[in-house]
Amino acid sequence: MVRFPLVAALTLGVVVGLAGCRSPSKQPEAVWEGEKLGDIVPPPKDRLPPAQFLATAYLDVHVVELPADNVEKLEPLWQTLTAAPIRLSSYNAFSENSFRLLFGKIVLWEKIRQLLAEANGQHVTTVSLAVADNDKTDLPIAEIPGPRPIAFIGNDLSRQTARVGAGVLTLRLVAEPIPWTPGVRKIIGYPAYTVPTQTAIPELQAKSQQREFYFAPAAFACQMGPGDLVVLGPETYTGERVTLGGLFFNRPDEVLFFNPDKKTPPQRRPAVRVYIIVCSRVSGP
């Protein structure tokens, strides 16, 4: 309810006998004095806070499949790229888990496509990811339908086993800002077992995160800006899906391949996947 100020003053006098006296007038009082606008008109409870724009790295992940027995034909591709800016927690453990990662520039894109085509590689899909600063994004790699062990090589090169339940093996990507290099992010990646959840209840989210498992021996880091890329693929073809490398790169089913350079019908063959991660742009400082 809106209040209106009192605008009338007492002006009536009191007459006593023949001689009268007039009472002093009172000053008008503002009824809103001492009150704030917020007390009169409180803000609506559903008012949204101002929008905040987070600095974000935008990554395009190109997924390519090729016949498993053509893994050795990737050697010209690896020779085209460089390992200089890449950091690993353990090079030997990374390689023993059958992971291989090298760095390049987008100017090599056509060359990379040509070398993959020579290995009979087929483009499957492209996934666009947005990774905010100091946040994480998961790229699903393989579904785990039920409890099972995942064998891997630890940083100390010992054989280890992670026992997980139903969930998903993902490539988790994290973006960290670099204060002295604007427009560039430190991209950290590592395989992670996780249990997807759609709940917004913090307690249930925390419980789900407690069941996660991170494969640190296959972790990597690389500074990336627009036009930079890394190629992640198998060191060798293991022919199984029991180990971390086999589950990460080997397809569970045979894939139909067609080679236009040979006059042979399409054939179903065991396949592996190669991931090309391209930084398309970085928003924010």
Side-chain angles (χ1 to χ4, degrees), residues 78 94 99-101 171 220 230-233 248-249 274-275:
W78 301 129
F94 196 82
F99 281 71
R100 194 166 187 178
L101 180 79
L171 175 61
F220 63 87
V230 293
V231 179
L232 177 63
F248 195 96
F249 295 110
V274 174
Y275 302 88

Side-chain angles (χ1 to χ4, degrees), residues 136 165-166 172 193-214:
K136 63 181 183 293
R172 178 159 294 174
Y193 159 79
T194 184
V195 180
T197 177
Q198 302 296 330
T199 180
I201 302 175
E203 291 78 6
L204 295 180
Q205 290 181 343
K207 186 176 181 180
S208 177
Q209 291 175 358
Q210 291 175 358
R211 299 170 59 188
E212 292 184 340
F213 188 89
Y214 315 120

Side-chain angles (χ1 to χ4, degrees), residues 13-28:
V14 178
V15 179
V16 181
L18 296 176
C21 63
R22 179 176 297 176
S23 63
S25 62
K26 295 182 179 180
Q27 296 297 324

